[in-house]
């Protein structure tokens, strides 16, 4: 009898979790109040494929559901790249998490070649600017996350270095046949690799926790630098 009651309790709990709205089931995980400018650079080349691009949409939605998204907290932008990069939305385009998740759900798949270097340059000149909503001048951490499944047809190291020189922290997520050496040229040790697109969800929490840690560490460094004009920023 006790076992039956226990099983019923488990079933009831599962039903509650299934029926629970996503905004309640997935809370923000950052221990400190996160304030950051976060831009995703998403590979939209032909090697991805329409079905796998849907997996990327779901992965992005899962990540962003864990952040306190808003004009005064985490701002989110997204650039898709193939032969040329394209802004899907700027850091200041959407003012709520719901609008960003809706935009990601309707994200069109580009198709084309893989020119990651052009995409990285585009981040610097178009995405991380005051006009686009960057708050770098307010000492808000600047973070870019590159998602790709192949080898770039152009150089990535020089463009990545220019972003780092501007204080932008880079992460790279490589899927399937992504070139490990290029990923490290982009993001040094901030590299995640998965064997296929379905495995993306399995690393989402780990990435969220890492981003939370990065935001807090970068915020403290920037505040320290701002408080001591003679101190060089790390």
């Amino acid at each position: 009898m006790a076992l039956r009651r226990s099983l019923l309790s488990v079933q009831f709990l599962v039903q509650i979790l299934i029926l629970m709205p996503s905004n309640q089931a997935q809370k923000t995980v950052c221990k400190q109040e996160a304030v950051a400018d976060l831009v995703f650079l998403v590979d939209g080349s032909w090697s991805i494929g329409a079905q796998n691009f849907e997996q990327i949409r779901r992965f992005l939605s899962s990540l962003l559901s864990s952040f306190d998204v808003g004009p005064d907290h985490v701002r989110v932008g997204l650039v898709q790249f193939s032969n040329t990069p394209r802004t899907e939305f700027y850091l200041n385009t959407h003012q709520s998490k719901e609008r960003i998740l809706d935009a990601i759900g309707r994200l069109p798949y580009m198709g084309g070649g893989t020119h990651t270097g052009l995409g990285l340059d585009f981040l610097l000149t178009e995405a991380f600017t005051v006009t686009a909503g960057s708050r770098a001048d307010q000492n808000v951490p600047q973070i870019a996350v590159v998602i790709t499944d192949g080898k770039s047809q152009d150089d990535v190291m020089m463009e990545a270095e220019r972003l780092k020189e501007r204080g932008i922290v880079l992460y790279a997520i490589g899927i399937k046949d992504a070139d490990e050496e290029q990923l490290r040229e982009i993001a040094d040790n901030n590299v995640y690799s998965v064997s296929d697109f379905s495995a993306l969800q399995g690393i989402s929490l780990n990435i969220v926790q890492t981003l939370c840690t990065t935001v807090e560490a970068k915020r403290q460094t920037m505040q320290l630098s701002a408080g001591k004009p003679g101190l060089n920023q790390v």
Side-chain angles (χ1 to χ4, degrees):
M1 185 69 176
L3 177 61
R4 187 170 183 273
R5 282 199 301 268
S6 178
L7 289 173
L8 288 173
S9 298
V10 171
Q11 290 174 349
F12 180 69
L13 178 60
V14 169
Q15 288 174 347
I16 290 176
L17 290 173
I18 291 173
L19 295 173
M20 188 181 296
S22 59
N23 63 340
Q24 293 180 18
Q26 194 162 18
K27 301 287 186 180
T28 55
V29 299
C30 292
K31 294 180 181 179
Q32 301 292 329
E33 184 178 272
V35 179
D37 293 335
L38 175 62
V39 180
F40 291 93
L41 179 63
V42 177
D43 188 344
S45 62
W46 289 128
S47 60
I48 298 286
Q51 185 174 354
N52 290 328
F53 196 75
E54 175 59 27
Q55 296 273 13
I56 291 177
R57 290 192 193 98
R58 293 176 185 174
F59 173 65
L60 291 171
S61 295
S62 177
L63 284 183
L64 294 178
S65 294
S66 300
F67 286 104
D68 187 5
V69 176
D72 299 322
H73 296 97
V74 178
R75 293 185 183 182
V76 180
L78 195 148
V79 172
Q80 187 177 173
F81 72 94
S82 56
N83 291 325
T84 58
R86 179 178 73 197
T87 299
E88 300 297 348
F89 51 86
Y90 293 105
L91 288 164
N92 56 7
T93 299
H94 300 298
Q95 304 301 305
S96 69
K97 182 187 295 186
E98 290 72 22
R99 288 185 178 275
I100 289 174
L101 293 177
D102 180 62
I104 289 172
R106 294 183 289 105
L107 192 66
Y109 172 45
M110 290 178 71
T114 307
H115 290 82
T116 315
L118 281 177
L120 291 168
D121 179 65
F122 193 82
L123 289 184
L124 188 66
T125 59
E126 299 293 332
F128 286 105
T129 65
V130 174
T131 304
S134 170
R135 295 168 289 173
D137 60 349
Q138 301 173 40
N139 289 327
V140 171
Q142 309 288 286
I143 301 173
V145 179
V146 181
I147 303 175
T148 183
D149 80 326
K151 183 171 182 175
S152 179
Q153 296 167 256
D154 59 358
D155 179 70
V156 299
M157 182 180 290
M158 186 179 299
E159 308 305 336
E161 285 302 318
R162 290 176 62 205
L163 285 162
K164 295 168 191 173
E165 287 170 3
R166 280 269 298 272
I168 298 166
V169 180
L170 284 162
Y171 285 87
I173 301 172
I175 310 164
K176 203 172 179 180
D177 298 323
D179 187 279
E180 185 79 15
E181 184 178 346
Q182 277 194 342
L183 295 177
R184 297 201 177 278
E185 287 178 356
I186 293 170
D188 300 317
N189 292 323
N190 297 332
V191 172
Y192 292 83
S193 297
V194 293
S195 58
D196 55 50
F197 289 85
S198 62
L200 281 171
Q201 293 296 338
I203 64 169
S204 60
L205 181 58
N206 191 11
I207 291 176
V208 168
Q209 291 172 335
T210 299
L211 291 176
C212 288
T213 302
T214 298
V215 168
E216 178 60 17
K218 192 71 173 174
R219 183 184 65 82
Q220 291 178 355
T221 300
M222 288 177 140
Q223 286 181 346
L224 185 62
S225 298
K228 297 180 179 180
L231 184 65
N232 292 325
Q233 183 176 328
V234 178

